[in-house]
Structures are given as C-alpha cells and as structure tokens.
Amino acid sequence: MLATEKLAAYIKVHPGAIGKVVDFNAKSDRLYPLDLTAANTELTPELVADTEAFSNWIDKKLADNNCRYGIGGYMEHRTIYTRSALFDTEDEPRRLHLGVDIWGDAGIPIYAPLQGTVHSFADNDNFGDYGPTIILQHNLDGLILYSLYGHLSRESLVGLEAGQSISPNQQIATLGNSTQNGHWPPHLHFQLMLDIGDAKGDYPGVGRYSQKQQHLQNIPDPELILQFADTSQR
C-alpha cells in the first residue's frame, strides 16, 4: 500500500482530526499553482539564480492573480535545483521534489495540523537548504507519521524541546526570509513521511527521480492534510 493510501484511510475515519498548516479561508482566499519544472519557460537559469529576482517573480504572480499563496511541488521533477550544489550528487542529481511548497510572505504563522510531539529541529544553514527546520511526530491510531516544516525563521527554533507536546492548530513557527531560509524566496516546505530512520532536524526534501516509486511508499501527498485542491486557480 502506498503511503498516501495509508494516511487517507486514517483521515476517512477521523475527518475532524486535521487542522491547518497556514491561515487560509477557503471561501475568499485563492491559490496560485506554481510550476517549477522545465516546462515553465519563464524560469530561466538567470532568474532562479538571483534570489531577489526569483522572489519578485513569485510575488508578481501572486499579486497579478489575486492569490494569497502559491502552491505546488509534490513529486514534481524540478530543474531549478541546478542553483545549488547541494543537490548535485555524483551518480544522479537530485531533482524530484518530495513535499509541497506554500509560497507567501516572510513572517506568516505556521501551524501544526495534527496532535503530536516535537521530534527534532535544526538550522540547516547551507545555500539551497532548508534553513531552520522542525520535524513533528504523530501517532494516528498506531500509524506513525512525521511532518516536516522547512524554510522557517530562526526565531521559530527558540525554546523548542524534543518531546514537547503539540496540539492541532498550535502555532509552531513563522516563515523565514531569504537571509534565514537557505536563500530561497519565502515559502514553507511541508512534507510528510512514515519513516525517517535516524534523521534528526533534517530529512531529504528532494530525491532522485529514479527512486520515485520508493519515495511514494514512504511519503504521502500533503494535500491530504492541506485540502487545498478545490481552491487552486486553474
């Protein structure tokens, strides 16, 4: 059974157990689906290499389309990772995006959508990396699920302790700016995993395309939690 099917089975029985990840009003807010693959010819290498220009491009897309957030990325094969040597492994470059990105303003609140505990946290301070990152652990009637929140503000890590109890809809962080978040336009990388092994404060958010089927066994579609599909602009 794929990871998404396992999580979907839990949500079907417990539809009221899911909280929010960001503030969002489905009746009034709109989402802009951002395509960060090679099919988007506006994303030139020069644009994505310039963090300020990349940020301005995203801001303009959201403003022009009257959208509160940009959204997208689950299992998306992206070429933009050529901007960082972090993803250029020797045998096969990592280009497969494993989570969902929510693009918005720095400083917006980030919430835990499920009951859980703080598993780990770290400041992954490399160019193109997550920057400040929090991983929560959830026990869903015996199904262990981890949720990762990357590209946060450094203030988000202050006062955290492993094992700390977290309630649904509890604010756990704020979104970081480009000087804190690994030098990206402000956005949240939100990812779910069933197994993270010995990882602490970090787990790959970009994988090898050749291993997509393996990733699907472990990484559920975050849309199950976000429930944004019906409000994306098409």
Side-chain angles (χ1 to χ4, degrees):
M1 181 182 291
L2 296 179
T4 293
E5 294 170 330
K6 293 179 181 180
L7 180 57
Y10 172 82
I11 293 174
K12 184 176 181 179
V13 177
H14 306 278
I18 309 302
K20 62 184 177 181
V21 175
V22 293
D23 288 313
F24 183 76
N25 185 332
K27 294 181 179 179
S28 59
D29 292 332
R30 301 173 74 222
L31 302 165
Y32 186 81
L34 278 170
D35 177 1
L36 301 186
T37 70
N40 187 343
T41 56
E42 292 183 49
L43 286 177
T44 64
E46 295 76 20
L47 175 63
V48 298
D50 184 332
T51 303
E52 182 177 359
F54 192 9
S55 297
N56 291 339
W57 180 83
I58 290 174
D59 290 344
K60 189 174 189 304
K61 287 294 183 186
L62 300 189
D64 288 352
N65 292 278
N66 192 29
C67 290
R68 186 169 185 178
Y69 304 112
I71 187 76
Y74 178 62
M75 296 296 164
E76 184 175 76
H77 191 219
R78 293 178 170 178
T79 53
I80 64 169
Y81 295 118
T82 55
R83 75 193 297 266
S84 171
L86 181 70
F87 305 107
D88 285 334
T89 48
E90 290 183 5
D91 51 348
E92 178 189 350
R94 292 191 290 138
R95 299 287 185 262
L96 183 67
H97 191 256
L98 304 177
V100 159
D101 288 333
I102 303 173
W103 307 81
D105 296 330
I108 66 169
I110 306 299
Y111 305 90
L114 296 162
Q115 181 77 33
T117 59
V118 175
H119 174 271
S120 53
F121 52 93
D123 188 353
N124 300 289
D125 188 17
N126 303 296
F127 184 85
D129 211 332
Y130 283 134
T133 309
I134 297 173
I135 298 177
L136 303 182
Q137 181 174 343
H138 316 277
N139 188 331
L140 310 179
D141 287 351
L143 175 66
I144 302 302
L145 179 73
Y146 299 89
S147 57
L148 181 149
Y149 310 79
H151 308 298
L152 308 175
S153 65
R154 292 205 170 95
E155 292 79 8
S156 301
L157 305 186
V158 175
L160 282 184
E161 295 181 6
Q164 180 180 338
S165 180
I166 300 293
S167 301
N169 296 318
Q170 177 179 336
Q171 183 178 340
I172 58 169
T174 54
L175 209 57
N177 61 40
S178 61
T179 67
Q180 301 174 313
N181 73 0
H183 301 276
W184 290 99
H187 72 287
L188 174 71
H189 178 96
F190 177 59
Q191 184 170 315
L192 305 172
M193 299 83 62
L194 300 184
D195 183 8
I196 61 172
D198 297 328
K200 292 187 182 298
D202 189 15
Y203 186 87
V206 182
R208 296 178 178 86
Y209 188 79
S210 64
Q211 297 175 340
K212 181 176 181 179
Q213 289 307 312
Q214 294 166 248
H215 293 309
L216 287 169
Q217 297 293 329
N218 187 50
I219 299 175
D221 187 346
E223 170 60 20
L224 289 170
I225 299 293
L226 297 171
Q227 301 178 7
F228 278 168
D230 292 340
T231 49
S232 292
Q233 176 195 328
R234 299 299 177 191

